[in-house]
Amino acid sequence: MANTTVQPAMNAVHEKKRRRRQKWNPILRNWQLYLLISPVVAYYIVFQYLPMYGIQIAFKDFIATKGIWGSPWIGVEHFERFFHSYYFWRLIKNTLGLGLYSLAVGFPVPIILALLMNEVRAEKFKKFVQTITYAPHFLSTVVVVGMMMMFLSPRYGIINHFIGMFGGNPINFLSEPSWFKTLFVMSDVWQTMGWSSIIYLAALAGVDSQLHEAARVDGATRLQRIWHINIPSIMPTIIILFILNIGSIMGIGFEKVLLMQNTLNLETSDIISTYVYRSGIQDAEYSFSAAIGLFNSIINFILLVTVNQISKRMSETSLW
């Protein structure tokens, strides 16, 4: 009688142990890989996820003496204040406009550059062009903006010097609101196009050469081979990078904008990032600036998920 009751219980215990071993066996078998990735996981937990507890000050009336946990909750009052503020639509218009302008101009340029460099057969010339186009990436934002100020100076700048040679009047580019977006985007394209083209060159290096040989036999021109072989081959890479760019369309960094910004061009240069900086750092409105930053991040997240889903359905290429 005793054996008939104990035996099933022992079998259940053994089964439980067996399932536990099966669960942990893959991890124990590949412990080196888990050890290798552990610093990256630790970095994201410590520096990316743990600081998120501070998001709650967007819903609180933060008082420094009481700390984050001790400050009183006020719901979405800061969000409502931002939505009804005088600057709301100007910030949305400038941020979205600058993001779309950067995407429309800055995204295709590295692709075109990579396709052109891939067709160059003279290795020395190819390396020279690569060096010239990669070099601006290593300049700091402060140096780039300083160069812009010198070149675009209405009195001593080389651009205005050429305008004067053709009888034109000097233009104070950095003080004209209508010039701000163009200067920001074009200088960004100049600084990043070479570096951004590296990933497309790597993708082009993986294109099967037999496809090109077959196309040559069929009489395809170089332009036709680029259009029908190279571009389709790197299309998954293009789509992935496009989705990533869409995900940060509202997340324009404030450093360069702030350096180029002045009271005369504030009408077009004031974006969400610089407004968060002014509200949070200069005016010490930490809760209000946290609410604006959170709103901006949510918009970016929604855009990223939406475009990713559209891409998944239309091209079967997506981030997840």
Side-chain angles (χ1 to χ4, degrees):
M1 183 68 181
N3 287 337
T4 56
T5 55
V6 171
Q7 190 60 37
M10 291 180 65
N11 290 339
V13 171
H14 287 307
E15 181 64 19
K16 192 175 180 181
K17 287 182 178 178
R18 189 183 67 79
R19 289 180 179 175
R20 190 180 297 168
R21 281 198 300 271
Q22 283 183 340
K23 181 180 178 182
W24 289 101
N25 270 349
I27 298 175
L28 294 174
R29 196 165 48 246
N30 301 301
W31 66 270
Q32 298 95 335
L33 297 176
Y34 288 96
L35 182 65
L36 194 65
I37 201 173
S38 58
V40 179
V41 174
Y43 167 81
Y44 275 95
I45 291 174
V46 173
F47 295 105
Q48 301 293 332
Y49 284 94
L50 290 181
M52 283 188 186
Y53 86 97
I55 290 175
Q56 60 181 301
I57 70 169
F59 305 95
K60 288 188 168 187
D61 184 16
F62 178 69
I63 301 171
T65 53
K66 293 183 179 179
I68 293 176
W69 295 107
S71 299
W73 293 93
I74 59 169
V76 294
E77 189 176 306
H78 292 303
F79 293 91
E80 291 176 348
R81 179 187 162 193
F82 176 59
F83 296 152
H84 294 99
S85 70
Y86 173 77
Y87 300 106
F88 177 72
W89 287 113
R90 186 175 83 172
L91 294 170
I92 294 294
K93 178 185 168 187
N94 288 341
T95 306
L96 194 58
L98 199 57
L100 289 173
Y101 196 173
S102 298
L103 185 69
V105 178
F107 184 73
V109 170
I111 301 172
I112 296 169
L113 180 65
L115 290 170
L116 293 176
M117 281 202 290
N118 189 57
E119 296 300 317
V120 175
R121 293 293 171 261
E123 285 300 320
K124 286 186 178 179
F125 179 73
K126 187 175 181 178
K127 288 179 181 177
F128 173 74
V129 173
Q130 286 178 313
T131 304
I132 293 295
T133 53
Y134 294 172
H137 170 76
F138 299 99
L139 297 176
S140 72
T141 305
V142 176
V143 172
V144 172
V145 176
M147 291 169 63
M148 290 170 63
M149 288 179 176
M150 285 194 299
F151 292 146
L152 300 173
S153 169
R155 296 183 63 184
Y156 309 108
I158 188 169
I159 303 298
N160 275 306
H161 180 69
F162 280 114
I163 292 174
M165 287 174 61
F166 291 99
N169 295 319
I171 302 172
N172 195 349
F173 291 97
L174 291 172
S175 299
E176 291 283 344
S178 59
W179 278 100
F180 178 82
K181 287 187 176 67
T182 300
L183 293 177
F184 180 90
V185 172
M186 292 305 171
S187 61
D188 199 54
V189 169
W190 170 74
Q191 190 177 11
T192 61
M193 64 177 181
W195 190 257
S196 301
S197 68
I198 292 175
I199 193 165
Y200 298 111
L201 281 170
L204 286 167
V207 177
D208 191 352
S209 59
Q210 291 183 352
L211 293 173
H212 283 281
E213 291 173 9
R216 284 194 197 95
V217 172
D218 290 340
T221 63
R222 179 170 290 189
L223 191 61
Q224 287 174 326
R225 283 187 280 117
I226 291 173
W227 185 256
H228 295 289
I229 297 175
N230 285 346
I231 293 179
S233 298
I234 64 172
M235 189 54 72
T237 305
I238 294 173
I239 292 173
I240 292 295
L241 291 177
F242 182 75
I243 294 171
L244 291 173
N245 276 273
I246 285 286
S248 59
I249 201 167
M250 296 279 286
I252 302 166
F254 83 101
E255 187 183 15
K256 188 175 180 182
V257 177
L258 194 68
L259 289 168
M260 293 175 62
Q261 195 174 75
N262 54 57
T263 53
L264 297 175
N265 64 19
L266 200 62
E267 182 185 339
T268 55
S269 66
D270 197 18
I271 61 173
I272 290 178
S273 300
T274 54
Y275 189 65
V276 168
Y277 170 76
R278 286 204 308 275
S279 302
I281 303 299
Q282 294 181 345
D283 300 337
E285 296 185 273
Y286 304 114
S287 294
F288 182 58
S289 61
I292 302 170
L294 182 59
F295 166 75
N296 196 26
S297 300
I298 291 171
I299 296 294
N300 277 328
F301 179 72
I302 292 172
L303 285 172
L304 179 67
V305 172
T306 304
V307 175
N308 188 66
Q309 289 301 317
I310 293 172
S311 173
K312 193 175 184 179
R313 291 187 180 183
M314 295 183 67
S315 66
E316 297 183 353
T317 301
S318 61
L319 290 174
W320 62 84

